[in-house]
Amino acid sequence: MKTSAKQAIPALIALGLAATVGLALLPAQDFLGVQLPVSDPICTNFLRSDKYQVTGDLVGTNGPASPSAVRLGAMTDHVTALLGIGPSSDSTPGGSRTGTAINTAHMGLIDQYIFSGLQSAGIEPAASTTDWEFIRRATLDVTGRIPTPARVLSFVSDTNPNKRAALVDELLASPQWVDKWTIYFGDLYKNNSSNTQIRRFPAGVTAFYQYIKASLQQNKPYDQMARDLIASQGASSYQTGEINFNVGGVVTGGPQQDIWDQQTANIADVFLGIAHVNCLLCHNGAGHLTTLSLWGGQQTRVSAWGLSSFMTQTYTSSTPVSAGSNQRYWSVIDNANPKQAPGTYPLNTTTGNRPARQPIGTVKSITPAYMFTGETPKAGEDYRAALARIITADPQFARAAVNYMWAYFFGVGLVDPPDAFDPARLDPDNPPPAGWTLQPSNPRLLNALSNAFIANKYDLKWLMRTIVNSQAYQLESQYSGQWNVSWNNFYGRKLVRRLWAEELHDAIAISSNYVPSYNTANYGVLNYAMQFPEPSGVPDGANGKVTAFLDSFLRGNRDDEVRSEDGSILQALNLMNDTFVMTRTAPTTPASALLPINLSKSNTDLVNTLFLAVLSRYPTAAELSTAVASLGNTQTRSQEARNLLWSLYNKVDFTFNY
């Protein structure tokens, strides 16, 4: 296969093969730490994110783009240049566009703010995306899977003007939606069997996974999910899955305050989008956060201790599953032994993972007080229940949830990074003092969407439906004019994203009709990566090579390695040579796989079938001509068909959602 693939490279490049082939053709020394300039098209597909990093402020109203916006904007320019299908329906095989112009007469909640901002800035938005692009984009974004060829064709041929909204409803009602968002929230809540501090063990992971999955299946309101995770108690992390969120905040080698602090920091990060609370639990903001956060620079460590004090009725501990076992389950219990959960935050430490906590004058302990409003628990109210109640009633809770979702679907948050909120720079009717800008790129949109999320009872499906049905989400990534990097904060085009590791795995498995079966030691038989309970070490045993393939696409470990859409040469090499890909293009592929069941078709039909299965579209005229010509020799036709399928798995429009 390797020899034939090399012989086929010229034809495959003509088909628009992604940057992987370009990387493969580089001299060996170019692999050794050389970083090509952004302008070099060879490395478009697999550049590290630091290639696009810039210095400057975080994103602000009509201000400089955030580093992630700059990075994604540059990547979008390069990816769309390699697509070869153009920014208009004329160059999209099959045409079929549901409206070629922005409908200014029927602007939804999101669109009225986005397109007003674009108009005010004099920015012409990209065209509306084609039906071919939309079904692939929405299916991947909402479910993490590629659409089936039959569903693509039925959608494109549908003449119902409301078919996109109908498709979105269909996707949100699918079990694949549950799979995708169980992974997303598993990442956000850091559901893993071990981290740098403690071990949950696979049974704990499974219980947490099942809690998240069941909550999504029930479409549980997000404020209720937050209250569950913040306030739930349980005697066993194997039985009460939601307590595993606070188990993840356990810190070893220090006093109890270290645990309360980390649990508090996790809550503030996930549910308020304010990672700077973690900083304030070590030191005052002045001199540390002064240039980063107007709010943070004015806060004290004492006020952060007041927030952490909500955890002081809670004791988190582990117990061996059986005598002599090294496997342990965790309990999270309130109102335990006063020595373990005193109900106030003692200032009595000199050791541990954070600076000393010592009395301040006559003050020897801190009582609970919500550092953003000063609110305290009601008489007799459980502290964590009070914290959960206060947080989910805080408008910042809705803002953070909306912004996390926005960052996922649009690539860049309205506040970016999404957990870097500055509460003192959010109100457009009360702007910050001179020297500071409003932080959100579109503050009125953020407020309006957050208020609507509250009005719709924190319904995640409502939020996703509203985003995906917006005309802003449905803009093309291709742009016919010259795009200015400073426009990225206006959301006038789609910013591309590289598929998650699990999405790539499942797209290859589904499109090839060769779905694997992994008999794992801890999680039973698994077929789809989008159903893996955790990323680390799954699948295991004899399937370790698949784990390495997935890891190369930076799925993270939900601890000190975050999921990343960055690229690498290893990813390129794996798409070209890894066993997981090669076995689906090999002569020994099962008879039921994509190639064997379609080889008897005419050359044109075979090419159309492969493109539709892998890329969710038909080939362009140039692609069809090149591919059909390569299949012309009957003696090598089977090999050339395998080469063609291999090339499609290496095309930029397979690797990226555009």
Side-chain angles (χ1 to χ4, degrees):
M1 180 68 183
K2 289 183 178 179
T3 301
S4 298
K6 289 179 180 178
Q7 292 171 344
I9 279 178
L12 298 179
I13 290 177
L15 282 176
L17 187 58
T20 50
V21 168
L23 287 170
L25 296 175
L26 288 174
Q29 61 267 24
D30 286 342
F31 283 80
L32 304 179
V34 176
Q35 295 192 354
L36 297 173
V38 172
S39 59
D40 193 318
I42 289 178
C43 59
T44 300
N45 220 8
F46 298 98
L47 289 173
R48 299 290 301 181
S49 64
D50 56 10
K51 294 294 292 179
Y52 301 106
Q53 293 300 316
V54 296
T55 58
D57 294 334
L58 294 176
V59 58
T61 307
N62 298 336
S66 68
S68 58
V70 173
R71 175 179 61 86
L72 285 174
M75 185 180 292
T76 298
D77 283 340
H78 288 281
V79 168
T80 54
L82 288 173
L83 286 174
I85 56 177
S88 72
S89 58
D90 294 339
S91 58
T92 302
S96 186
R97 182 185 295 270
T98 306
T100 57
I102 303 302
N103 188 347
T104 56
H106 295 90
M107 290 287 184
L109 171 63
I110 291 171
D111 295 328
Q112 60 182 305
Y113 292 98
I114 292 297
F115 290 102
S116 174
L118 288 167
Q119 185 178 32
S120 296
I123 301 170
E124 182 70 22
S128 179
T129 191
T130 69
D131 287 343
W132 300 90
E133 292 168 346
F134 177 76
I135 186 172
R136 184 180 178 90
R137 178 190 299 179
T139 305
L140 276 166
D141 278 350
V142 176
T143 72
R145 311 287 173 82
I146 58 173
T148 65
R151 189 65 188 96
V152 171
L153 294 179
S154 67
F155 176 76
V156 171
S157 64
D158 189 353
T159 58
N160 184 346
N162 297 317
K163 66 182 182 181
R164 293 194 179 190
L167 174 67
V168 174
D169 286 342
E170 174 188 319
L171 296 173
L172 290 171
S174 69
Q176 289 78 20
W177 175 82
V178 176
D179 291 342
K180 165 83 176 205
W181 292 93
T182 301
I183 285 187
Y184 175 89
F185 286 109
D187 285 354
L188 185 63
Y189 304 151
K190 298 185 177 181
N191 182 22
N192 54 20
S193 53
S194 64
N195 60 35
T196 52
Q197 294 290 329
I198 57 96
R199 298 182 68 186
R200 280 193 187 92
F201 297 97
V205 171
T206 298
F208 200 1
Y209 175 87
Q210 292 298 337
Y211 165 78
I212 298 170
K213 184 175 182 179
S215 296
L216 294 170
Q217 287 172 330
Q218 299 160 16
N219 198 27
K220 182 180 291 186
Y222 193 59
D223 62 330
Q224 183 58 56
M225 287 182 67
R227 287 192 291 271
D228 290 347
L229 297 175
I230 294 169
S232 288
Q233 302 183 51
S236 172
S237 56
Y238 295 179
Q239 302 298 322
T240 309
E242 54 266 42
I243 69 172
N244 280 285
F245 177 73
N246 279 322
V247 168
V250 172
V251 177
T252 59
Q256 184 69 24
Q257 288 95 321
D258 282 355
I259 297 176
W260 298 330
D261 284 356
Q262 191 58 54
Q263 290 170 332
T264 300
N266 292 347
I267 290 169
D269 191 358
V270 170
F271 297 115
L272 295 173
I274 305 177
H276 288 148
V277 168
N278 203 2
C279 307
L280 293 167
L281 286 163
C282 283
H283 49 71
N284 294 339
H288 294 273
L289 298 176
T290 305
T291 61
L292 297 176
S293 170
L294 176 60
W295 169 84
Q298 299 168 350
Q299 299 305 304
T300 66
R301 193 180 182 198
V302 172
S303 64
W305 285 337
L307 189 63
S308 190
S309 188
F310 280 95
M311 308 302 291
T312 59
Q313 287 181 337
T314 303
Y315 184 60
T316 308
S317 62
S318 65
T319 305
V321 171
S322 59
S325 174
N326 67 350
Q327 186 168 331
R328 307 175 74 90
Y329 61 87
W330 292 85
S331 62
V332 179
I333 303 295
D334 286 357
N335 299 308
N337 187 317
K339 291 184 178 180
Q340 300 166 336
T344 61
Y345 190 97
L347 302 180
N348 63 356
T349 70
T350 57
T351 61
N353 296 277
R354 295 182 188 264
R357 307 167 183 89
Q358 289 292 291
I360 304 170
T362 60
V363 178
K364 297 182 179 180
S365 64
I366 305 295
T367 56
Y370 191 58
M371 67 186 299
F372 306 98
T373 64
E375 188 171 355
T376 61
K378 298 176 181 178
E381 187 178 19
D382 178 87
Y383 285 1
R384 281 195 297 129
L387 180 61
R389 172 182 58 79
I390 295 169
I391 282 179
T392 54
D394 186 341
Q396 180 57 30
F397 168 73
R399 278 194 292 263
V402 164
N403 192 56
Y404 273 120
M405 287 292 106
W406 187 275
Y408 168 75
F409 282 103
F410 284 92
V412 178
L414 291 163
V415 169
D416 202 76
D419 62 352
F421 270 91
D422 182 348
R425 295 196 290 140
L426 302 178
D427 186 356
D429 295 319
N430 184 24
W436 295 89
T437 61
L438 285 168
Q439 189 185 29
S441 57
N442 197 319
R444 295 194 185 279
L445 169 59
L446 177 59
N447 286 343
L449 192 55
S450 300
N451 289 335
F453 183 49
I454 296 170
N456 283 274
K457 300 179 180 179
Y458 303 94
D459 185 340
L460 288 170
K461 287 189 177 182
W462 173 87
L463 180 57
M464 295 183 197
R465 182 182 295 111
T466 300
I467 290 173
V468 179
N469 279 331
S470 71
Q471 295 181 72
Y473 173 82
Q474 296 180 23
L475 295 176
E476 286 190 329
S477 58
Q478 300 97 310
Y479 193 72
S480 57
Q482 183 67 39
W483 185 261
N484 188 316
V485 67
S486 66
W487 297 347
N488 289 330
N489 297 337
F490 290 88
Y491 305 99
R493 71 188 294 197
K494 162 72 174 176
L495 296 177
V496 301
R497 72 173 179 90
R498 200 229 331 122
L499 301 190
W500 292 357
E502 295 90 343
E503 291 173 331
L504 279 167
H505 173 284
D506 288 0
I508 294 169
I510 292 169
S511 62
S512 66
N513 203 33
Y514 185 1
V515 178
S517 179
Y518 305 124
N519 189 11
T520 67
N522 296 316
Y523 302 114
V525 177
L526 301 169
N527 302 109
Y528 297 102
M530 293 302 296
Q531 295 176 335
F532 290 176
E534 66 168 326
S536 298
V538 183
D540 55 13
N543 299 303
K545 290 184 177 180
V546 178
T547 294
F549 174 80
L550 288 164
D551 288 346
S552 73
F553 288 95
L554 308 178
R555 54 179 173 164
N557 62 7
R558 295 178 174 171
D559 181 26
D560 55 357
E561 297 174 9
V562 299
R563 181 182 295 278
S564 174
E565 295 172 12
D566 291 352
S568 71
I569 291 176
L570 179 59
Q571 293 170 11
L573 294 174
N574 278 342
L575 281 174
M576 289 190 290
N577 299 298
D578 189 84
T579 302
F580 185 75
V581 178
M582 301 303 283
T583 54
R584 282 154 179 81
T585 63
T588 54
T589 302
S592 59
L594 176 66
L595 272 177
I597 62 176
N598 288 290
L599 272 175
S600 61
K601 291 183 175 181
S602 69
N603 289 345
T604 297
D605 286 347
L606 176 59
V607 172
N608 283 336
T609 297
L610 296 185
F611 266 80
L612 191 59
V614 177
L615 302 181
S616 308
R617 66 172 177 85
Y618 285 132
T620 63
E623 289 170 331
L624 179 62
S625 175
T626 302
V628 168
S630 71
L631 298 173
N633 187 331
T634 57
Q635 294 183 339
T636 61
R637 185 174 185 270
S638 294
Q639 178 64 61
E640 293 301 335
R642 291 193 292 273
N643 290 342
L644 174 59
L645 180 58
W646 174 85
S647 75
L648 297 182
Y649 286 137
N650 283 273
K651 276 180 66 66
V652 68
D653 38 339
F654 178 73
T655 311
F656 282 85
N657 195 17
Y658 61 95

